[in-house]
Amino acid sequence: MSRPRYPFLFFVLGLLLFPGSSLQNSSPRSTTSQPKIILDNDWNPTAFIAFLLPLYYNYTVLGLASDTANSWALQTGLHALASLEIASLSSCIPVYKGSDYPLLQTAHTFQTYELLHGELPWKGVFAKENTTNEKLGNDPTSGDPRRVVKEAFTTKGYYGYPNVSFAEGSAAEFMVKAVRENPGQVNIFSAGALTNVALAVRLDENFAKNTAGLYIMGGYVDRFMEQAIGDVLRADLVSDINFIVDPEATKIALTADFPNITLVANSANGVIPNQAFLNELVAVNDNPLSRLVRANQPTYLPFWDETAAAVMVDREAVVLDEVEVYVDVDTSYHSPFYGYIRPYQAALMPPGLRKVKYINAVNNTKVAEMIKTVVQFPPKGCADLHG
């Protein structure tokens, strides 16, 4: 199990803020054994928690990659740059822009699918273009993937448009290069669409097997009744947009020869903050990141990506139940289940599938505690990462 990094300061804070919790038993690891990670996400103003968690748990973050899922890869990558800048981490963590488009899916095919099979509760990047909505500070959807909505950085208490730039090269090329230079050491974390991961798999036949493993936020099962009853928000919580945006990339990733693949989906719906939780973030330590989370984290949506990251960095303490299953992804465009996942047991599966670890339940109290800690006491810059 990885141990938290910011040594003496966090040991003392753990004693003061979480008496009796596992945090007070945390101690720094030697820097010679730091695990490495690349985080690929459709970044937004509060998604930085997903990279604060591995930093705190002594991972070396080699870089961030942006992808197209909730918005276009350019816009989500700019959010990553802005987050790093406000956290004073721009000089030590690069950001690589991912592919503008999924492998096959487009706004047209997505919207045609909805005409055939019904509306999806959350459409992500393929919601119809809405310039009025964008002027209110919402990220762009459909239309030109190269356009930038600066209002998404300057309204709603956000952080300002970034002054730093993307690193050279594409996200997929960066992943391949990083894994070649660090065989067997690099974890890949994907909390958006799997387009960049699939491209890396296709760029280098040895990429997947030479990673340390793949962690994915996505793969909802037993969701059909959830989408049929209750309100639209309830249906949204199991919509699996990360897979639906790029079903073909998901199929490639889930059949590649990664040493291990972990899926976190239904179990990530349990940590939903209330206003008291968000207020406490700032009350304990008023810093730019805690203010961002309080201002922008909805009190009706779970900490999805953050739960998946928590599973990755402290599996022993976080995971309550997991199973190994074989999984497939429906890549038939004419199927009403296009982009949906299906688990199998070995005796009943079709050929060509591989086993994955599926997280059924997590310790929600532990996950909430971890989120609080990394937001209240983030690193004070790159120097803090090498103590």
Side-chain angles (χ1 to χ4, degrees):
M1 178 181 73
S2 296
R3 292 291 184 182
R5 167 177 282 171
Y6 320 134
F8 182 71
L9 169 63
F10 285 101
F11 176 75
V12 173
L13 289 170
L15 291 173
L16 294 174
L17 298 173
F18 304 104
S21 77
S22 59
L23 287 181
Q24 63 180 294
N25 297 318
S26 298
S27 58
R29 287 174 44 142
S30 165
T31 56
T32 60
S33 62
Q34 290 177 0
K36 298 176 175 64
I37 187 170
I38 295 169
L39 295 103
D40 186 316
N41 204 353
D42 50 349
W43 304 97
N44 63 58
T46 62
F48 56 80
I49 301 171
F51 68 71
L52 290 183
L53 279 161
L55 287 176
Y56 179 76
Y57 276 80
N58 209 33
Y59 282 67
T60 296
V61 175
L62 298 178
L64 308 182
S66 69
D67 63 65
T68 289
N70 276 339
S71 185
W72 297 111
L74 174 57
Q75 183 83 4
T76 65
L78 290 169
H79 279 303
L81 289 168
S83 297
L84 290 169
E85 187 172 354
I86 199 171
S88 300
L89 296 172
S90 298
S91 63
C92 54
I93 300 178
V95 179
Y96 295 82
K97 191 183 87 64
S99 173
D100 286 332
Y101 290 101
L103 299 186
L104 293 178
Q105 187 83 278
T106 66
H108 175 72
T109 61
F110 184 95
Q111 291 161 15
T112 302
Y113 169 89
E114 288 192 301
L115 291 175
L116 294 171
H117 301 297
E119 295 275 330
L120 291 171
W122 178 252
K123 308 169 195 301
V125 67
F126 293 133
K128 292 180 180 179
E129 185 174 355
N130 187 333
T131 55
T132 300
N133 209 31
E134 292 169 9
K135 288 177 182 178
L136 296 175
N138 294 288
D139 287 325
T141 55
S142 292
D144 185 352
R146 297 164 296 181
R147 79 184 190 283
V148 172
V149 176
K150 290 191 175 182
E151 289 87 348
F153 301 88
T154 57
T155 61
K156 301 181 181 178
Y158 288 0
Y159 32 33
Y161 193 75
N163 297 300
V164 288
S165 302
F166 289 102
E168 292 280 338
S170 71
E173 291 169 326
F174 162 63
M175 290 181 185
V176 169
K177 182 174 184 290
V179 169
R180 285 177 179 172
E181 293 174 350
N182 303 277
Q185 301 177 59
V186 182
N187 295 278
I188 307 297
F189 176 85
S190 175
L194 284 149
T195 310
N196 298 323
V197 176
L199 289 172
V201 169
R202 289 295 190 251
L203 280 171
D204 182 354
E205 64 180 2
N206 296 313
F207 166 75
K209 69 181 180 183
N210 284 334
T211 68
L214 174 63
Y215 291 82
I216 299 173
M217 171 57 232
Y220 282 86
V221 295
D222 300 328
R223 67 191 202 181
F224 302 113
M225 284 303 295
E226 289 290 332
Q227 292 185 334
I229 61 178
D231 57 23
V232 173
L233 175 60
R234 181 173 174 180
D236 178 22
L237 297 185
V238 292
S239 63
D240 227 1
I241 194 67
N242 291 345
F243 285 12
I244 294 171
V245 161
D246 199 339
E248 291 74 22
T250 306
K251 176 90 168 187
I252 290 171
L254 290 181
T255 54
D257 56 350
F258 289 96
N260 55 80
I261 297 176
T262 299
L263 297 181
V264 185
N266 298 68
S267 59
N269 282 354
V271 182
I272 302 177
N274 56 27
Q275 194 58 50
F277 179 98
L278 300 178
N279 290 340
E280 184 182 348
L281 297 178
V282 176
V284 171
N285 187 2
D286 187 347
N287 66 73
L289 298 181
S290 64
R291 290 196 295 272
L292 268 175
V293 178
R294 183 179 67 176
N296 300 301
Q297 173 64 37
T299 55
Y300 54 87
L301 293 179
F303 280 115
W304 285 304
D305 303 351
E306 298 79 4
T307 300
V311 166
M312 178 182 64
V313 301
D314 203 349
R315 196 185 198 105
E316 181 181 336
V318 170
V319 175
L320 299 179
D321 181 57
E322 65 178 285
V323 294
E324 289 190 333
V325 294
Y326 295 86
V327 296
D328 199 5
V329 181
D330 192 337
T331 55
S332 173
Y333 177 70
H334 296 288
S335 166
F337 310 118
Y338 182 49
Y340 285 46
I341 193 173
R342 178 172 175 181
Y344 291 90
Q345 58 175 285
L348 301 176
M349 71 174 188
L353 303 186
R354 60 154 296 164
K355 191 177 290 186
V356 305
K357 298 175 181 179
Y358 194 91
I359 307 302
N360 277 327
V362 300
N363 184 333
N364 293 329
T365 301
K366 175 64 177 177
V367 172
E369 175 187 288
M370 293 166 71
I371 292 170
K372 280 185 180 181
T373 300
V374 301
V375 173
Q376 289 167 339
F377 304 103
K380 295 181 179 179
C382 293
D384 261 11
L385 305 184
H386 306 288

